[in-house]
Amino acid sequence: MPEPALLRILIIEDNPDDGALLEHELRRAGVGAVCMPVPDERSFLAAISPAPDLILAGCRTPGFGALAALRLLRQRGHDVPVIVVISTLGDEDAVECLSEGASDYLRKDSLGRLGLAVRNAVEQARLRRQERGEHRLLQAVVDGAAAAIYVKDIEGRFLLVNRRFEALLGMHSGEIVGRHAAELYPQEVLEQLRPHELAALASRSAVEHEVRLGEGAGMRTYLSVCFPLADLDGAFHAVCGIATDISDAKRLEAQLRQAQKMEAVGQLAGSVAHDFNNLLTVILGYSQLLAGRLVDQPGLFHILDEVRKAGERAAALTRQLLAFSRNQVLLPQLVDLNAVVAEVETMLRRLIGENVELVITLRAQSGRAMVDPGQVEQVILNLALNARDAMSNGGALILETDDVELDAVYLQRHPYARAGPHVVIAVSDTGQGMDAETRSHIFEPFFTTKEKGKGTGLGLSTVYGIVRQSGGHIEVYSEPGQGSTFRVYFPRVVAVAARPAIPALVVAAPRAGSETILLLEDEESVRALVSHLLTSAGYTVLESGSSTDTVAVAERHPGPIHLVLSDVIMPGMSGPEVAARIVATRPETRVLFTSGYTANLVDRKSLRVAHFLEKPFTAAQVLTTVREVLDAPLPGGDARG
Ligand SMILES: Nc1ncnc2c1ncn2[C@@H]1O[C@H](COP(=O)(O)OP(=O)(O)OP(=O)(O)O)[C@@H](O)[C@H]1O
Ligand SMILES: [Mg+2]
């Protein structure tokens, strides 16, 4: 066992004999100590820091004595135990010294208890120090917490608060502790909190609830937990409240829910549109075939023509749904968005009518983005049409472009956005605006507030899909009666040489041919239709419904294969992968992809150089495109898909 450390004891005695007597008694009682006489105030003050373990002081010393020492200790905030040695008839002195903070007293003529008294006083002081340490630790933890914490007694008076709570009230703890909550809070805040505190006390368990504090834009939401505190006897004498600011988490949660909803609706719309597209392809394809045979029967031809028209309307609707679900074919090019806006200006002027003023401000220095310009026009048009509809009594439509740099701070509030340079197109109107409820639904397909027949509710969902598929995002600011601003952000392309746009294919090719075409399409009815079309036009068709099969068919076929006509998305190997395999061994083979449903999985580069045929297609489109691809010069060794 380690030697107990020697106690450092100060002795205040003007008579050296008395001092020596005390030291002698200590030794006799087995108290290991280093004693130091401090006969006057000066030597006392010099000896109390660092603090000694104990002070033994005579009471009625003529110069410096116990009472003076006790007062000095208190003034300086020192907690050192003082044992007073009184004369035989000094009971009153003892009472005075105890009331001034002495730990104990002994009579000069019976010092036999000295050892015990010293050990007791030192132990008590040690416990007090330990308790102070624990309290300080607890206070530090409570102050460091990211929540506002308070303790109130049963009547509702504050016993303890932490820093966050001080900040929340804008007061110092000294102004809060001891006062009743009713003196500090407005009535409505009290009404939000007090019932839960009482419920916690009554149920003797924790009660959780949300509180909204503040006003207007400064309104914050707190998750508050109240629980009762019991004293050592188990009686509940206080209640503790811990309020955490959850406003940011709540906002992100709402954004996430909204994003998930849009994702789910998008998937649903996309898969319905995809299947529907295949059916329409079959309906439209066969109607055309049949139409060719009914030209000399006008009555039947007319009926069939109605079928075709309805089919085309359905196809247009499907295209909008595909746009929303971000699964339409985009042909991104490097374009200047200022130019795109300038391009639609004339059309907009005509569209919005005379009582709406059109204001265009192109602030973007470099409005360059990798987007499909036709689709961006569609975005602007849809937004402008909505703006016009919101301004039945006239107003202004304002189109602006600007450069913005989205940073981490922006991303915190808009987690779906990407950091970096963007071009923003803002479309504002001075129209009727929207309330929060309307705003939360506007991007959903088929959500409309317009009367029956006036709106399909697909305008903004199309916009949403196009923007997201282009790697951008859209935001809306609107209040009822205050107009609206839609901001569309596209990633800005920095310092890349502009490439010429891909020239549109010239449509004048003959439609028939005798080449061999390998057709890959997993949807059987579509495959049968295309095969029928191509065979009728004189081509030899090799058919396949699966990717692996197609590679085998190509390997087995002894003659040349002039064209692979393939769906993009296939179960297993994708269309482009199959095509690449075939082209690897047959470099003269050309590739044409068909799709209504391009996933982002497909490499954008191969998409841009690919020959494309969008579903649903007409018979004429299939035959013309096939012919064009077959007649186009074969790029030397490059990807030809
Ligand atoms: N600029 C705007 N001002 C006020 N409300 C708007 C504005 N833009 C959109 N809205 C609201 O959002 C709804 C959905 O718009 P969306 O473009 O998707 O469909 P729609 O305009 O009703 O029909 P569609 O565009 O298919 O003809 C509108 O019905 C309208 O309530
Ligand atoms: Mg609309």
Side-chain angles (χ1 to χ4, degrees):
M1 244 179 52
E3 277 287 303
L6 291 180
L7 298 176
R8 204 163 77 81
I9 297 179
L10 307 187
I11 296 183
I12 304 174
E13 266 301 349
D14 51 353
N15 181 348
D17 286 348
D18 286 348
L21 180 65
L22 288 171
E23 278 192 55
H24 173 76
E25 278 301 324
L26 284 172
R27 262 196 308 279
R28 210 175 56 78
V31 177
V34 177
C35 296
M36 186 178 169
V38 280
D40 51 38
E41 181 172 333
R42 205 170 52 82
S43 57
F44 174 77
L45 287 177
I48 56 170
S49 37
D53 294 299
L54 185 87
I55 295 167
L56 287 173
C59 189
R60 284 272 164 209
T61 41
F64 182 65
L67 280 171
L70 282 165
R71 283 176 196 136
L72 282 173
L73 287 175
R74 200 176 51 227
Q75 274 167 19
R76 285 168 167 69
H78 287 297
D79 178 19
V80 183
V82 177
I83 296 178
V84 185
V85 183
I86 55 169
S87 61
T88 322
L89 296 169
D91 280 349
E92 279 180 22
D93 295 343
V95 171
E96 193 176 2
C97 286
L98 286 177
S99 72
E100 288 287 340
S103 310
D104 205 348
Y105 71 93
L106 295 169
R107 277 178 211 285
K108 203 177 263 180
D109 56 359
S110 61
L111 289 176
R113 206 170 55 82
L114 181 65
L116 188 63
V118 166
R119 287 196 183 92
N120 257 342
V122 169
E123 176 62 6
Q124 292 299 327
R126 192 188 63 77
L127 288 177
R128 279 198 303 277
R129 249 197 327 275
Q130 186 179 334
E131 204 170 291
R132 269 201 309 278
E134 282 165 5
H135 185 264
R136 205 171 286 170
L137 180 77
L138 203 66
Q139 186 70 40
V141 171
V142 167
D143 275 339
I149 301 177
Y150 64 83
V151 177
K152 286 179 192 170
D153 64 16
I154 297 186
E155 274 82 49
R157 265 185 303 270
F158 285 102
L159 299 173
L160 175 151
V161 296
N162 75 341
R163 290 229 180 86
R164 290 256 172 169
F165 194 87
E166 292 178 310
L168 200 63
L169 255 69
M171 289 181 182
H172 194 262
S173 71
E175 304 166 81
I176 303 172
V177 171
R179 289 172 74 184
H180 199 280
E183 302 170 54
L184 302 170
Y185 300 159
Q187 184 62 24
E188 65 268 21
V189 173
L190 203 64
E191 278 165 13
Q192 279 199 71
L193 298 175
R194 195 63 185 148
H196 300 285
E197 294 169 358
L198 294 176
L201 282 167
S203 67
R204 303 183 167 199
S205 59
V207 173
E208 230 180 72
H209 64 113
E210 275 182 23
V211 195
R212 286 168 64 72
L213 301 176
E215 279 166 43
M219 176 79 84
R220 309 290 293 175
T221 307
Y222 296 85
L223 177 67
S224 169
V225 183
C226 292
F227 51 92
L229 298 176
D231 60 17
L232 291 178
D233 301 326
F236 288 100
H237 70 303
V239 59
C240 176
I242 301 180
T244 313
D245 187 339
I246 54 166
S247 314
D248 291 341
K250 286 216 83 101
R251 203 194 54 247
L252 288 176
E253 198 183 296
Q255 277 174 351
L256 181 67
R257 254 205 312 275
Q258 176 75 3
Q260 279 172 339
K261 183 177 73 183
M262 296 300 278
E263 201 57 45
V265 179
Q267 257 169 27
L268 180 69
S271 60
V272 170
H274 175 234
D275 291 350
F276 201 54
N277 229 1
N278 281 330
L279 298 176
L280 282 173
T281 305
V282 177
I283 292 170
L284 286 170
Y286 281 120
S287 330
Q288 267 197 343
L289 278 180
L290 204 53
R293 302 193 186 163
L294 292 180
V295 257
D296 46 355
Q297 298 181 55
L300 288 179
F301 185 89
H302 176 72
I303 292 174
L304 192 62
D305 203 41
E306 289 303 313
V307 172
R308 183 189 58 79
K309 276 193 221 151
E312 269 163 15
R313 275 204 299 280
L317 202 67
T318 320
R319 264 197 297 279
Q320 278 181 294
L321 279 180
L322 281 175
F324 168 64
S325 62
R326 290 174 251 162
N327 280 310
Q328 65 172 345
V329 180
L330 288 190
L331 296 174
Q333 317 169 8
L334 190 60
V335 293
D336 180 354
L337 291 175
N338 282 335
V340 178
V341 173
E343 193 92 346
V344 291
E345 182 178 347
T346 334
M347 194 185 346
L348 284 184
R349 283 199 194 282
R350 239 179 285 132
L351 217 87
I352 58 177
E354 276 172 1
N355 59 350
V356 172
E357 185 195 352
L358 178 62
V359 183
I360 296 186
T361 314
L362 305 177
R363 264 193 304 270
Q365 294 293 312
S366 146
R368 285 192 307 185
M370 200 66 190
V371 292
D372 184 329
Q375 299 296 325
V376 176
E377 280 184 19
Q378 181 76 45
V379 166
I380 299 172
L381 230 58
N382 282 2
L383 294 176
L385 282 174
N386 284 345
R388 178 201 63 185
D389 293 346
M391 297 186 287
S392 44
N393 299 323
L397 169 64
I398 305 149
L399 248 77
E400 292 154 287
T401 66
D402 215 341
D403 300 315
V404 286
E405 189 79 28
L406 302 184
D407 57 7
V409 177
Y410 182 90
L411 257 58
Q412 252 175 19
R413 298 189 64 88
H414 306 90
Y416 42 79
R418 292 191 209 165
H422 283 71
V423 191
V424 55
I425 302 180
V427 180
S428 311
D429 66 67
T430 55
Q432 70 200 33
M434 286 169 266
D435 58 18
E437 171 64 15
T438 304
R439 275 201 315 268
S440 71
H441 292 297
I442 52 175
F443 295 114
E444 291 165 18
F446 303 112
F447 174 82
T448 179
T449 56
K450 293 169 188 171
E451 51 189 281
K452 219 169 153 50
K454 283 271 170 66
T456 60
L458 281 172
L460 283 180
S461 40
T462 308
V463 166
Y464 181 87
I466 293 173
V467 173
R468 296 295 285 162
Q469 199 180 347
S470 308
H473 67 278
I474 180 163
E475 269 176 27
V476 59
Y477 294 87
S478 185
E479 294 294 334
Q482 305 293 322
S484 310
T485 293
F486 286 82
R487 282 201 179 80
V488 183
Y489 296 82
F490 291 111
R492 186 167 77 231
V493 176
V494 185
V496 173
R499 257 175 295 170
I502 301 156
L505 295 172
V506 185
V507 188
R511 293 166 170 200
S514 57
E515 287 92 341
T516 301
I517 298 173
L518 174 51
L519 170 64
L520 170 56
E521 165 69 64
D522 60 333
E523 184 67 42
E524 207 193 314
S525 55
V526 176
R527 192 170 70 239
L529 166 71
V530 176
S531 173
H532 181 97
L533 277 171
L534 293 171
T535 322
S536 314
Y539 294 100
T540 304
V541 177
L542 309 169
E543 276 184 51
S544 169
S546 90
S547 309
T548 35
D549 235 30
T550 313
V551 177
V553 170
E555 275 166 5
R556 275 202 308 272
H557 184 68
I561 295 175
H562 300 95
L563 177 79
V564 173
L565 173 51
S566 168
D567 200 2
V568 176
I569 305 295
M570 296 286 301
M573 237 188 298
S574 74
E577 280 176 281
V578 174
R581 284 226 195 167
I582 296 174
V583 170
T585 55
R586 294 171 176 268
E588 75 291 347
T589 302
R590 290 149 209 269
V591 183
L592 170 60
F593 290 117
T594 63
S595 188
Y597 195 61
T598 66
N600 310 329
L601 304 169
V602 184
D603 178 8
R604 277 285 161 86
K605 278 205 195 83
S606 75
L607 262 180
R608 248 179 286 142
V609 295
H611 294 291
F612 250 106
L613 188 57
E614 204 175 324
K615 282 190 212 170
F617 38 64
T618 64
Q621 278 172 331
V622 174
L623 293 177
T624 312
T625 315
V626 162
R627 199 57 259 161
E628 278 166 2
V629 175
L630 284 169
D631 292 342
L634 199 63
D638 214 26
R640 61 201 42 71

